[in-house]
Amino acid sequence: AQSVAQPEDQVNVAEGNPLTVKCTYSVSGNPYLFWYVQYPNRGLQFLLKYITGDNLVKGSYGFEAEFNKSQTSFHLKKPSALVSDSALYFCAVRTYGQNFVFGPGTRLSVLP
Amino acid sequence: GAGVSQSPSNKVTEKGKDVELRCDPISGHTALYWYRQRLGQGLEFLIYFQGNSAPDKSGLPSDRFSAERTGESVSTLTIQRTQQEDSAVYLCASSFAGRNNEQFFGPGTRLTVL
């Protein structure tokens, strides 16, 4: 069975500092990995995905994520956080023949 | 182009009543998904459509929940005899076929069962 873990319920970071939101996964087979962001009272927005190729993928709003097969991780990163990045972030995984499985979400607060 | 739309945006109903939630996917998206998101929690998968067939209904919580889709277009999620624990935001998403395609989400329907 597929599963996704986001070990931190909440991440706090000062504006201008780098941020990391962690995600680990468990699948049988090759994973397709996704990050979504949810701003207050809005639906989820796609940020980036890893399908194959370069382990470092770049997405919207300056975010990037690194796929690490040996650690089964896909951590979301940004070099310099903005207050407007404050939101709920979801990691999701999918593999052949399976549906999307979402992690529980991590609330990011960027403090001015 | 237009994104995924859902209606109503908010629905307040009394316990025991039936409700119908609607999702209009992005044109050309053959895959459609319904999720439930309880307050402060993650996404709970309900059902997946490919075209108008539903190969995966495994997430429907009980037989009070059903969904249908007309062709590769509108989908409706029906909850019969609503209970207070059904209160949540119901999210719809659509995508092109293929497991490497990301989903596009609608704004959700907030359901409150009194």
Side-chain angles (χ1 to χ4, degrees), chain A residues 12-28:
Chain A
N12 297 319
V13 64
E15 188 174 29
N17 281 4
L19 70 86
T20 299
V21 182
K22 295 180 180 177
C23 172
T24 59
Y25 64 90
S26 174
V27 299
S28 52

Side-chain angles (χ1 to χ4, degrees), chain A residues 32 34 36 38 41-46 49 51 88 90 94-105 107, chain B residues 33 35 37 40-43 45 47-48 56 58 91 95-96 98-108 110:
Chain A
Y32 296 147
F34 303 79
Y36 290 84
Q38 186 176 34
N41 300 314
R42 295 176 64 177
L44 277 72
Q45 295 179 34
F46 168 75
K49 65 181 177 183
I51 303 300
L88 191 55
F90 291 95
R94 192 179 195 188
T95 190
Y96 182 79
Q98 302 293 323
N99 272 317
F100 285 87
V101 173
F102 284 80
R107 187 165 300 281
Chain B
Y33 306 77
Y35 296 90
Q37 185 178 28
Q41 298 188 21
L43 275 68
F45 168 78
I47 189 169
Y48 156 61
D56 190 347
S58 62
L91 292 167
S95 76
F96 290 111
R99 57 190 177 275
N100 61 337
N101 289 308
E102 63 272 23
Q103 298 175 317
F104 291 81
F105 283 82
R110 183 175 299 278

Side-chain angles (χ1 to χ4, degrees), chain B residues 5-20:
Chain B
S5 61
Q6 293 186 245
S7 61
S9 54
N10 278 285
K11 177 72 177 177
V12 179
T13 190
E14 293 180 348
K15 177 180 173 181
K17 300 283 189 184
D18 298 351
V19 296
E20 198 171 271

Side-chain angles (χ1 to χ4, degrees), chain A:
Chain A
Q2 304 180 119
S3 66
V4 178
Q6 293 181 243
E8 299 155 320
D9 293 336
Q10 173 90 34
V11 170
N12 297 319
V13 64
E15 188 174 29
N17 281 4
L19 70 86
T20 299
V21 182
K22 295 180 180 177
C23 172
T24 59
Y25 64 90
S26 174
V27 299
S28 52
N30 292 323
Y32 296 147
L33 295 152
F34 303 79
W35 275 101
Y36 290 84
V37 59
Q38 186 176 34
Y39 297 103
N41 300 314
R42 295 176 64 177
L44 277 72
Q45 295 179 34
F46 168 75
L47 276 179
L48 51 79
K49 65 181 177 183
Y50 171 81
I51 303 300
T52 187
D54 267 347
N55 289 343
L56 184 66
V57 293
K58 296 185 183 296
S60 307
Y61 312 121
F63 283 94
E64 58 188 31
E66 186 166 12
F67 170 62
N68 188 317
K69 187 172 183 178
S70 63
Q71 296 186 3
T72 61
S73 67
F74 189 56
H75 301 331
L76 181 70
K77 301 182 180 184
K78 187 172 182 180
S80 179
L82 300 172
V83 172
S84 58
D85 293 329
S86 299
L88 191 55
Y89 290 80
F90 291 95
C91 181
V93 68
R94 192 179 195 188
T95 190
Y96 182 79
Q98 302 293 323
N99 272 317
F100 285 87
V101 173
F102 284 80
T106 298
R107 187 165 300 281
L108 173 68
S109 292
V110 181
L111 309 172

